[in-house]
Amino acid sequence: MIPRMPENNNPDFAFHAKGLTKTYGIGQSMVYALRGVDLEVPAGELVVLLGPSGSGKSTLLNILGGLDFPTEGQVYFDGQELTAFDDRHLTAYRREHVGFVFQFYNLIPSLTARENVMLVTEIAENPMSPEQALEMVGLGQRMHHFPAQLSGGEQQRVAIARAIAKQPRVLFCDEPTGALDSKTGIVVLEAIARANRDLDTTTMVITHNAGIADMADRVLYMADGQIQETRSNEQPLKPTDLSW
Amino acid sequence: MPRPPLRLLELLRPLDRKLLRDLWHIKGQALAIAVVIGCGVGMYVMSKGMLVSLDETRRAYYERYRFADVIAPVKRAPDSLLDEIAALPGVRRAETRIRAGAILDVEGTSVPITGQIQSLPPTPSPRINDIVLRSGRYFDPQHPDEVLVLEGFALAHNLQPGDHFHAILNGTKRRLTVTGTVLSPEYVYSIAPGELVPDDSRFGVLWMNRRALANAFDLDGAFNEALILTSTGSNEDALIDRLDQLLKPYGANGAYGRDQQISDQFLSNEISQLKVMGRMLPPIFLLVAAFLLNVVVTRLIETEREQIGLLKAFGYRDIAVGLHYLKLVGAITLLGIAMGIGLGLWLGQGLAVLYMEYFKFPFLLFQAPPDVYLISVGFSLFIAVLGTFSAVLKVMRLQPAVAMVPPPPPDYSRSAQWIEALARWIDQPTRMILRHIYRWPKRSAMTSLGIAMSMGLLIGSSFSLDAMIYMIDISFNVIDRQHATVNFIEPRNARAIHDVEHVPGVITAEPFRAVPAVLRNGQYSRRQAIIGLTDTAELSRVVDLDYQPVDIPAEGIVLSDKLAELLNIRSGELLRLEVTQGRRPELDVPVSGIVKTYMGTSAYMDLHSLNRLMKEAQSISGAYLLVDGQRTDELYRSLKNTPAVAGVGLQEEAQQAFFATLNESLGTFVFFNTLFAGLIAVGVVYNSARISLSERGRELASLRVLGLTRGEVSYILLGELALLTLVALPVGAGLGWLLAWAMVTSFDTELFRIPLIIDASTYGYAALVVVLAAIGSGLLVRRRIDRLDLIAVLKTRE
Ligand SMILES: Nc1ncnc2c1ncn2[C@@H]1O[C@H](COP(=O)(O)OP(=O)(O)O)[C@@H](O)[C@H]1O
Ligand SMILES: [Mg+2]
């Protein structure tokens, strides 16, 4: 890996970003997705990103997750500058440290629940067993089912099991409940909260649903490509106590 | 105010604009399919066009230069007989001439050259078998040593009008003067008797004034060949019978039609090969193209399901929507046809140039008649529509309400038991590969089959080289092992073999007797020289199917398999022999065996029984020689000066000429076969990779997000193709064998039978080409996998 940069080696922060700007297009048709975002994410926290559609939440998360590059600015993960990584190092970063959960689950239809998880455990350094990961999301009984045989909420929980099975340092969830009804959504959020708590995984959850923010340690409000406000919850609620 | 520029797209109806954009979107695949169609159409246009051109050129050439319909050789008949011949029913015109063999000796060439010499009237006015004067002038009847020579021979020896060379005519060495070079419809394919390919340096054809040639062969007031043009609608077989009757007292050898004339036989052989090629290969390309079109259109329709529903909801009629996709198919096919016609014309013209070297026509223009193009267009469109019809029908039947609901995720839960048993031991990506193949078994099978077809095509079109080389090896190293064959002018006493043995350079000599005869079995009859061999023959042998020498029984006749087939006779049955030489005995002999030959037809008897049958003293027609390689020059010099020798055949030179010809055409042949097969393989692999990528792009991008590397993700897609390619290899080998078998079966002619021999290296080469093509197209798609847009994929639902 890239040598560590001592001046940014603050173990308290999982992420540290400075002046992140992301633009699409050029000239008149240029769109700003991010306009100079500065950010510090403490290790082990559960952070919820709130904001209207188009405010730049996904863009920010994708950059932190090593899927995208900012037009300007730097991101440091654990003291290393992610924005200086090439594709190969970003892949290694995702492989070793990052778990992703998306709105549309993105499971592999030709693999069973357990095999979808194994996809990750096979290449991770210090994974838990796929069975254990599926137990954590309450799907121990559905291990051998294919995605086509699972409901949306179950598919999303498989996706969470897949994301946490490698015991990642960070977990990114982009609107994990966006395609689910609220009851199912709560089950999914419980799984995410449990991973954050039990595995001490720094977790960032995107939602445009303000009700979900109550389960976070910290809430970031985004609008128009900028973080407008940061709020800390002294007493985060359990997902079961949420309402929306 | 200036008017805004007219944009072409805006002239089109919206649905047609969509068509163009769709086409542009799948341009790589459309091009790959068009290329496969183009190969098929090109091959058809080339072979069919060449076939028609050759056929037409031959017809025009024969007609213009009045090539004889029937040829009646005799030993010697008086000129006065011409009137009787001309009076036979069915004869439009008749002419007589003298034709004989000769040995030619050109300065600077040590090997004896086989020659054919024939007479022409004193003024340039033959009414039958006319010649085309290419340079110089007609001979002067006042100068008996003046001759016209075949152009190819003149070129090979750099003979110009005014040059001289020597010829042994009826045992007398003569110095001849070239007055001109000519072409003749009789010698379009100028091949010496017993040879495989033309060799202008060792075969010469001469034309001489009738009187001068008559003098040389003691045929004053006589002829030894009658040429006949038949009247249209006459019965040629009946005429041949009448001619044989009439000419019998004059040593008739059996009259024969033009189709038995050697040059014309080779020409017909070539034409029938073109026919087979034009019929067998193009459909393979078109079938593959139809499959590819089906896959591409099916996938396109899948991705456009919602659009189709929308169009219908807006009120577009089913037929309009269906037609829209048929137009897409039509556009790709027409592109392929256009490419194919261009390719066919180009290849055809190249082939015409190549043919002009082997077939000596005064002109040969590659020209495909309009119906070739019509058939190309019609057949290709038909196959294309046939291949995509079910997909289009599905579009037409799709209910708008159903179409607008996104399709459920593909269900992999019903996987095969054996895959699951296997799955225990393998990693997830490999599982994905196996389950994906099993989930779309038809498409996977068709992909493998398509790849296999390309390999089969390559084997089927290049195996003939292996077969030819094998055939030559068997013919020259197992059957005819002599170095040279000496033919006497007349049968000589058996003691003459000792004279031959003492010619310098000869190691051993074995006698043979050749007797011209008509073999008859009921309604079937063939003119065939019967070869008499001694029971100790070691050089020219008769071998069975296992290439073991066969003893020729003292009684009976041994026939080659093709001859037995032509005579419809089996071993043990009685065959009627009508000898057309000497006392012309006729009798029934049992067929005592049937043996394998690849070239021509043959009949063998024991030398002693053949002589007994002829009611002659022990005599021989010539000898097979084993020659001391160090002393060939001496041998040749001596043979060229031996009056009794009518001709010399040289095995080594015949082989060399064969391989030279093979090598010349080989490069082009192999290049195009490889290209075509490679294009099919690329077309199939590339298309199937692109389709998989389109179906699974989302899946693959998800895996990249999970941290799988580009290599690991590529493995899933390309591993599947590698597996399908691997499966295709043995299937392709099998298909190649089948295609070769079909070719061998349809090339079975009197002149040649090609053995079904495919070298391991041919299989290997074909496999290599296919694998390389697969890797090449894999790399093309790999570039796209590398550039997968991860974020775009995550934003959208399938
Ligand atoms: N590929 C792209 N091309 C152009 N604009 C884009 C692209 N991706 C995102 N954007 C724009 O960037 C802005 C932020 O998008 P995104 O991060 O997806 O918002 P959010 O997730 O908060 O809804 C939006 O205005 C969007 O239109
Ligand atoms: Mg978003």
Side-chain angles (χ1 to χ4, degrees), chain B residues 304-316 321 395 398-404:
Chain B
E304 294 187 347
R305 236 173 101 93
E306 292 172 48
Q307 299 176 36
I308 293 167
L310 208 68
L311 285 173
K312 289 191 175 185
F314 286 165
Y316 277 89
V321 180
V395 167
L398 203 63
Q399 295 296 316
V402 177
M404 305 228 297

Side-chain angles (χ1 to χ4, degrees), chain A residues 94-95 106 109-110 115 122, chain B residues 428 431 435 702 704 712:
Chain A
R94 292 197 301 269
R95 190 177 184 126
N106 290 59
S110 58
E115 289 163 353
E122 269 172 4
Chain B
Q428 311 316 311
R431 268 180 226 203
R435 290 200 183 123
S702 303
R704 288 279 288 130
E712 285 164 336

